[in-house]
Amino acid sequence: PFFTSNTHRPPGCLPLIMARRSVFPVAVLAVAALLCLKWGSRLTFAAHWHGDVRGCRPSRLAASTPATRNKVACRAAAADEVKKGLMVAVEFKMSRADTGEVVDTTEGKGPMEFLCGGSQVLPSLDVGVVGMAVGERKDIFLSNEYGEREDAKIVPIANEKVPVEAVPGQQLELQGSGGQPMRARILSRNATTVMLDFNHPWAGLALKMEVTVVSIRTPPDESIVDVESISPGDGATFPKEGDRLVMHYTGTLASSGQKFDSSVDRGEPFVFTIGVGQVIRGWDVGVMKMSLGEKAVLKIPSAMGYGDRGAGGVIPPYADLIFEVELLQINGIRPAGTKLTGRP
């Protein structure tokens, strides 16, 4: 996945969550750039587009709700220090180790909360906070967390394929061949060619995070994700952690019924790996309860979705969400007698 820079990052997508290294071959990047270019910062909300420190899509849209304002009932926290399996809220400032330039911070945004050991943030942060107490401050150094810069990820495309208002330094979003979003920065533009850079903006940089633990608590009760079956699946084949799933979804706000995203409308099923933090927690929990071929409604509270930050300007803070979903494939296996429509 590729993430926007600090300036262009959509609301709620801090740069530390799940910055996975990209492995798209140059041919795939070129095809995506030529055929699937989209302008703007559109999000696919059924899953959390991992921002840079944290991600954002029902890609992982990890909840970032401060414990003091959590609207979902949780067990009382009784932890003196951060341990795996606990929710930890942190404030941080991330800067370049060589120049001291601040590239991201929680200042003015509120603390970032994540499940320790849940692969929701960069590995160095996930490990580095273990053993810290509330109020404790620590410097965590990030080494190559965003990958090396690669010349093969700088791709030329025809000038007419790019909106006329796009200028060097701005971000573009493209739809990848697997339905996953890819982001690129415009390096240069002339009358015939636009050069796109698919490297992460912080690729190859040594970074330092100044981290302060704000709160520690036990995670919300996972039973609060309500799964209502619309039509049954095979009743035997259920997703497990690490499975590659293909799903259709339509997401709406529980409060108003307003639709904010739909793979059905796009005609392209959503592809992701379950149980590894690629989607919001409510998806990781709820979809695990579905069997192959099942259609269901997931009712997801804010704390298991986008929390106090909301997302993309269309999901407000503290919004409970409703997703109508269909489990089309598990590891390439489809329900007997079915044919996949759209491009997974």
Side-chain angles (χ1 to χ4, degrees), residues 90-308:
V90 301
E91 293 177 342
F92 70 85
K93 180 174 70 175
M94 184 162 64
S95 58
R96 294 182 54 159
D98 54 352
T99 66
E101 176 192 357
V102 176
V103 297
D104 195 34
T105 178
T106 55
E107 185 176 354
K109 306 183 185 80
M112 178 182 71
E113 186 174 56
F114 58 94
L115 179 68
C116 183
S119 299
Q120 296 179 1
V121 294
L122 294 176
S124 294
L125 178 60
D126 215 4
V127 173
V129 296
V130 173
M132 293 180 67
V134 173
E136 184 176 351
R137 180 191 170 282
K138 181 178 182 180
D139 289 344
I140 298 175
F141 292 89
L142 312 179
S143 177
N144 204 30
E145 299 269 2
Y146 296 95
E148 297 288 351
R149 290 195 63 82
E150 301 177 31
D151 291 341
K153 292 178 183 175
I154 299 176
V155 179
I157 68 169
N159 184 61
E160 61 268 19
K161 297 289 184 179
V162 180
V164 294
E165 64 268 30
V167 297
Q170 288 185 319
Q171 298 281 343
L172 296 177
E173 181 173 291
L174 302 86
Q175 196 73 23
S177 58
Q180 297 181 348
M182 299 189 300
R183 293 189 179 186
R185 183 169 60 93
I186 300 177
L187 292 182
S188 63
R189 182 171 195 170
N190 57 38
T192 60
T193 306
V194 177
M195 297 300 297
L196 296 182
D197 184 1
F198 286 88
N199 287 289
H200 191 285
W202 304 334
L205 296 180
L207 301 169
K208 181 182 77 170
M209 290 188 69
E210 300 174 16
V211 178
T212 301
V213 173
V214 176
S215 66
I216 306 168
R217 66 182 180 89
T218 53
D221 185 352
E222 295 183 352
S223 66
I224 60 179
V225 176
D226 188 17
V227 181
E228 296 181 0
S229 184
I230 297 174
S231 62
D234 66 3
T237 312
F238 292 85
K240 60 183 183 299
E241 183 177 319
D243 283 347
R244 182 175 182 271
L245 307 186
V246 178
M247 299 187 67
H248 263 315
Y249 67 87
T250 297
T252 58
L253 301 178
S255 60
S256 64
Q258 179 181 351
K259 180 166 60 177
F260 55 81
D261 191 31
S262 174
S263 67
V264 178
D265 292 350
R266 290 191 299 276
E268 294 184 357
F270 175 62
V271 182
F272 68 102
T273 300
I274 190 76
V276 297
Q278 289 187 2
V279 293
I280 52 176
R281 183 64 178 159
W283 266 53
D284 268 344
V285 171
V287 173
M288 289 276 201
K289 301 176 182 179
M290 299 174 60
S291 64
L292 183 62
E294 184 173 356
K295 292 183 180 181
V297 172
L298 306 181
K299 296 182 178 180
I300 299 176
S302 170
M304 301 288 277
Y306 298 84
D308 66 331

